[in-house]
Amino acid sequence: MRPRLLALACVSASLLSGCGLVSQDGGERRTVTVWLMKDSASQDFLDRFTEEFEREHPDLDLDVRIQQWTGIGDKVQATLKADGTDGPDVIEVGNTQVPQYAEGGRLMDLTLESMRDWGIRDWLPGLAEPGQWMSQQFGIPWYAANRVVIYRKDLFEQAGVTEPPRTREEWLSVTERLDSGGDQGIYLAGQDWYTLSGFIWDEGGELAVQDGGTWTGALHSRAALRGMDFYRALQALGDGPLDADEEHPPQAGVFAGGRVAQIVAVPGLAQSIVRENPGLQGKLGFFPVPGKTAGKPGAVFTGGSDLVVPKNTDEHDGALAVVEALVGTKWNTDLARTMNYVPNKKSLAKAVAGEEGVSAMAAGAAQGRATPGTPRWGAVEADNPIKEYMTKVLTGGDAESEARRASDRVTELLDLDAR
């Protein structure tokens, strides 16, 4: 929190929420406490936002408290269960975390505001859908980031490839041409299950499905198997490890250190690549993950953040005002430009059209998806039978039987009674 008159009027930080000041118009000023995650927004952005928000809301002071991602789940759950007197009024959470916080009735239902005021019909689906729980909107999309294809322009030119591929079929053909003469057509780790998820969704499949309140694994469906088959064909056109994910070893280092034509990653990874190999400055390009047809990019997992309001807030109106401002066109566009994010609305994609990597990301975000909207999905990621399944298929296992085995394990982990 930045020093201001409010801090002088209060004896300690624990008393902040109970302190009031007289505003210029004679009313009492109140404090809205906002928890934001480290590096989600620059200090310059927060300073500009705070200054304008407090000018437009003379009865409110903002207390922005930066949180670490490590251990945030337990910290959020604890504050949602507390009495709320010194807790946050607005919290930034990962888009797929909303159901686990909404379960138990500890978040405010923001469905009405979303439909009436905040443009729910234009939100990116990969942020909006996981923000729902029991058909109600609890998480309000703030920003998105998703994977694109980062490629070496020089290697494409040497292979005679003049334009990035726009369909899956073209992508396989181009990658096969690039995978020659000691070059890797693509570096795709065998356990990159986020990328696999997009291929499954493109085929009409799901990771898990819900029926009557019960979730079951769906990796064995014909559609999901087609997605795995495409992954296997693409992954074979490079030397990615079959038994590790994209962080083991970090694929930025692999791309920077060798003649690798492509990786699937968020555009921001290009900065790390160039830092490791300055010789690649100006040689990197970006395109959306291709879809089955040229007119529609492939489905991708959409990461990012939603904003939620705890039900135990003692600053209901102030919290809603903060959310409305942050997710509105002006400040959401500002954040996207400042941080190279995808804005929360499809109609705002033009705001980042001037930057190649973010533009490619925004095109893919329109087809963005998220993991199944169940509070137990975290247990699936912790155990992650999807990774094991992928390795077994890539090392010669029977896809149908391994998919069935993985689906059964996902079903076990999604059992709401298994706590």
Side-chain angles (χ1 to χ4, degrees):
M1 180 179 182
R2 296 183 301 159
R4 48 183 80 246
L5 183 58
L6 178 64
L8 299 177
C10 299
V11 177
S12 71
S14 64
L15 300 177
L16 282 177
S17 61
C19 294
L21 289 176
V22 177
S23 65
Q24 294 178 349
D25 61 4
E28 184 181 84
R29 292 170 63 181
R30 292 122 45 210
T31 298
V32 181
T33 301
V34 183
W35 282 10
L36 298 181
M37 303 308 300
K38 185 178 185 296
D39 298 329
S40 285
S42 67
Q43 189 59 51
D44 176 66
F45 172 88
L46 294 176
D47 289 344
R48 287 186 284 106
F49 175 78
T50 298
E51 181 179 359
E52 180 167 308
F53 181 87
E54 291 181 346
R55 185 172 61 248
E56 295 180 349
H57 300 82
D59 57 335
L60 297 176
D61 281 312
L62 281 187
D63 177 8
V64 178
R65 303 183 185 182
I66 303 302
Q67 309 296 314
Q68 302 291 329
W69 282 109
T70 302
I72 191 61
D74 291 341
K75 190 172 184 179
V76 171
Q77 293 288 16
T79 198
L80 294 179
K81 296 174 183 177
D83 60 15
T85 55
D86 190 38
D89 304 298
V90 178
I91 307 174
E92 175 194 352
V93 301
N95 61 322
T96 62
Q97 296 174 337
V98 175
Q100 70 188 64
Y101 300 139
E103 186 186 29
R106 296 190 174 96
L107 296 182
M108 284 193 57
D109 177 5
L110 302 176
T111 307
L112 176 61
E113 291 83 359
S114 300
M115 298 181 67
R116 184 187 62 200
D117 305 319
W118 297 342
I120 189 172
R121 292 175 179 81
D122 194 27
W123 287 345
L124 295 176
L127 291 181
E129 291 170 2
Q132 297 174 2
W133 172 245
M134 303 297 286
S135 301
Q136 296 172 311
Q137 195 75 41
F138 294 95
I140 308 304
W142 191 25
Y143 67 83
N146 52 265
R147 287 161 176 76
V148 301
V149 182
I150 303 176
Y151 73 99
R152 289 266 304 262
K153 293 180 179 179
D154 56 334
L155 297 186
F156 268 55
E157 291 173 1
Q158 291 171 21
V161 181
T162 58
E163 294 183 355
R166 298 180 62 199
T167 68
R168 276 197 195 176
E169 184 177 354
E170 290 177 3
W171 195 17
L172 280 178
S173 177
V174 164
T175 304
E176 188 172 5
R177 289 171 62 183
L178 293 162
D179 190 45
S180 64
D183 295 347
Q184 292 188 57
I186 189 169
Y187 179 87
L188 185 60
Q191 295 184 348
D192 186 352
W193 71 276
Y194 286 119
T195 296
L196 170 65
S197 298
F199 300 158
I200 289 175
W201 292 327
D202 259 355
E203 294 290 349
E206 301 288 346
L207 304 178
V209 294
Q210 186 181 31
D211 183 14
T214 299
W215 284 91
T216 57
L219 295 166
H220 61 286
S221 72
R222 301 312 307 172
L225 287 168
R226 289 195 298 271
M228 183 65 219
D229 189 57
F230 179 78
Y231 189 97
R232 177 168 47 186
L234 184 65
Q235 198 275 338
L237 298 174
D239 299 327
L242 305 182
D243 58 352
D245 63 24
E246 64 276 17
E247 290 302 319
H248 300 90
Q251 62 177 345
V254 176
F255 192 86
R259 291 180 63 85
V260 177
Q262 307 169 87
I263 56 172
V264 180
V266 294
L269 200 66
Q271 299 176 16
S272 298
I273 293 168
V274 172
R275 277 198 300 269
E276 293 197 40
N277 184 355
L280 292 179
Q281 181 72 47
K283 295 181 180 179
L284 302 183
F286 311 84
F287 59 88
V289 173
K292 299 185 73 173
T293 62
K296 185 177 179 181
V300 288
F301 170 77
T302 301
S305 286
D306 284 11
L307 300 176
V308 301
V309 177
K311 185 171 283 187
N312 61 10
T313 177
D314 56 3
E315 256 319 319
H316 172 272
D317 291 343
L320 294 185
V322 170
V323 173
E324 182 168 12
L326 284 173
V327 305
T329 297
K330 176 179 179 179
W331 287 107
N332 201 253
T333 300
D334 190 316
L335 181 71
R337 289 171 174 162
T338 300
M339 302 300 295
N340 288 334
Y341 291 146
V342 177
N344 61 0
K345 295 183 176 69
K346 289 176 283 188
S347 62
L348 297 180
K350 59 183 179 293
V352 293
E355 204 286 318
E356 184 183 0
V358 182
S359 180
M361 186 165 59
Q367 312 303 324
R369 295 281 305 274
T371 51
T374 164
R376 288 288 296 168
W377 188 256
V380 175
E381 293 198 20
D383 185 272
N384 218 319
I386 304 175
K387 287 185 174 182
E388 181 181 1
Y389 155 61
M390 296 172 72
T391 293
K392 288 187 175 179
V393 173
L394 294 176
T395 54
D398 178 70
E400 291 191 30
S401 59
E402 295 298 344
R404 171 63 73 176
R405 186 176 293 109
S407 287
D408 290 345
R409 179 57 180 158
V410 169
T411 300
E412 291 176 14
L413 293 165
L414 293 181
D415 184 353
L416 293 176
D417 294 327
R419 296 172 184 250

